[in-house]
Amino acid sequence: MNSSFVIAVGSLVVGSVVLGLKFVAYGLTGSIALYSDALESVVNVATALAALIAVRLAAHPPDANHPYGHHKAEYFSAVLEGVMIVVAAVLILRESYFGLLSPKPLDAPLPGLVVNGLAGVINAAWCWVLLHQGRRLRSPALVADGRHLMSDVVSSGGVIVGLSLAAVTGWAILDPVLAGLVALNILWSGWRVIRDSVGGLMDEAVPATALERIREVISSHGGGALEAHDLRSRRAGRMTFIEFHLVVPGEMSVSDAHDICDRIEQALKTEVEDAVITIHVEPEGKAKHSGIVVV
Ligand code: ZN
Ligand code: ZN
């Protein structure tokens, strides 16, 4: 059992407990804002479940009918997750619209807010674990999960403060207004999830800064070769696929050209984690004089 699996299971358990507490808080108060807070937790449970499926499925080694591996499995779960997030936001917006038309005072504000606050504390603790482990394992995905949870903790805190104000002042209208704000926050995170996974499904290139690093590595480790061109990159889950043409002097032996390729591959693999590299070797007649110049 690896640590990303343990963390995915932990997120699922914590998400479910927090979800239960938040629905109890909603049941106690009848607050639309607490309802929206609870639906936000449904999204977190769905995310954790999707991450778990992705970790299990994407880890399957390549086989005869999926020779490039199964890494894109996680994009499917992410798209599904994005759709769920949008549905949750629409449900909340509908409720807060009715709430605006006829604002109702909260039923049992104090017990509800205490239960919701407890859920917030559990979330904050797990958020700390995610950020801490993410830095220790150098996993940008875990750090991103931690940051996402952090924004949930902040918005839950905002809801609690707003509802306390509503309970003290009797401004019932605050409840649907807060719910609407939470819904907009949820829509925003749903949009980002969908955007990222569609980018992966469409074979988006690696970000410009990473591409620049790849060019530098090829240029500084390709001694003996003349140039590299037609560099292409794409990502699938945690894997990065890199391919390019390497131009060498026509009279160079196959074995010497292969040594250069191995050197570049080694250097690229230390720069880019989980890189899969394919190099096509060409004689100098194929030079384009426009690609990466080997120094
Ligand atoms: Zn070429
Ligand atoms: Zn080889």
Side-chain angles (χ1 to χ4, degrees), residues 229-230 245 247 280 282 286 288:
H229 58 242
D230 290 5
H245 298 181
V247 180
H280 172 77
E282 293 173 332
K286 295 284 186 182
K288 288 188 173 174

Side-chain angles (χ1 to χ4, degrees), residues 81-106:
E81 181 192 322
V83 171
M84 285 192 63
I85 294 176
V86 172
V87 170
V90 170
L91 283 176
I92 298 167
L93 285 175
R94 181 175 169 273
E95 282 305 306
S96 57
Y97 172 70
F98 291 128
L100 280 175
L101 292 183
S102 55
K104 284 194 306 263
L106 305 182

Side-chain angles (χ1 to χ4, degrees), residues 6-81:
V6 173
I7 290 171
V9 171
S11 285
L12 191 59
V13 171
V14 170
S16 307
V17 170
V18 167
L19 174 66
L21 287 174
K22 286 188 173 176
F23 265 109
V24 167
Y26 161 59
L28 285 170
T29 56
S31 156
I32 307 168
L34 290 185
Y35 170 71
S36 68
D37 206 30
L39 278 188
E40 185 156 35
S41 283
V42 173
V43 172
N44 288 345
V45 171
T47 312
L49 202 60
L52 197 60
I53 294 168
V55 167
R56 299 299 283 180
L57 216 60
H60 278 297
D63 52 27
N65 52 355
H66 299 99
Y68 293 94
H70 301 80
H71 311 285
K72 285 193 175 183
E74 64 186 76
Y75 295 131
F76 285 104
S77 51
V79 168
L80 197 71
E81 181 192 322

Side-chain angles (χ1 to χ4, degrees), residues 258-259 261-262 265:
H258 186 253
D259 285 347
C261 292
D262 276 353
E265 284 175 17

Side-chain angles (χ1 to χ4, degrees), residues 57-214:
L57 216 60
H60 278 297
D63 52 27
N65 52 355
H66 299 99
Y68 293 94
H70 301 80
H71 311 285
K72 285 193 175 183
E74 64 186 76
Y75 295 131
F76 285 104
S77 51
V79 168
L80 197 71
E81 181 192 322
V83 171
M84 285 192 63
I85 294 176
V86 172
V87 170
V90 170
L91 283 176
I92 298 167
L93 285 175
R94 181 175 169 273
E95 282 305 306
S96 57
Y97 172 70
F98 291 128
L100 280 175
L101 292 183
S102 55
K104 284 194 306 263
L106 305 182
D107 290 337
L110 192 62
L113 290 179
V114 168
V115 171
N116 207 66
L118 179 64
V121 170
I122 295 174
N123 248 350
W126 185 246
C127 172
W128 181 84
V129 171
L130 286 180
L131 288 174
H132 185 76
Q133 290 295 316
R135 292 204 184 101
R136 192 178 69 84
L137 300 168
R138 271 191 242 127
S139 158
L142 275 185
V143 172
D145 284 354
R147 295 236 167 87
H148 169 82
L149 206 57
M150 177 91 87
S151 79
D152 285 3
V153 171
V154 170
S155 82
S156 298
V159 166
I160 292 179
V161 170
L163 287 182
S164 309
L165 204 64
V168 171
T169 59
W171 296 338
I173 196 91
L174 271 178
D175 185 31
V177 168
L178 283 168
L181 290 176
V182 173
L184 291 181
N185 182 38
I186 294 176
L187 262 186
W188 172 241
S189 62
W191 155 249
R192 283 215 315 224
V193 167
I194 292 176
R195 205 211 72 86
D196 286 352
S197 32
V198 167
L201 284 174
M202 289 302 295
D203 287 338
E204 202 172 56
V206 301
T209 48
L211 202 59
E212 198 41 52
R213 278 301 297 147
I214 291 172

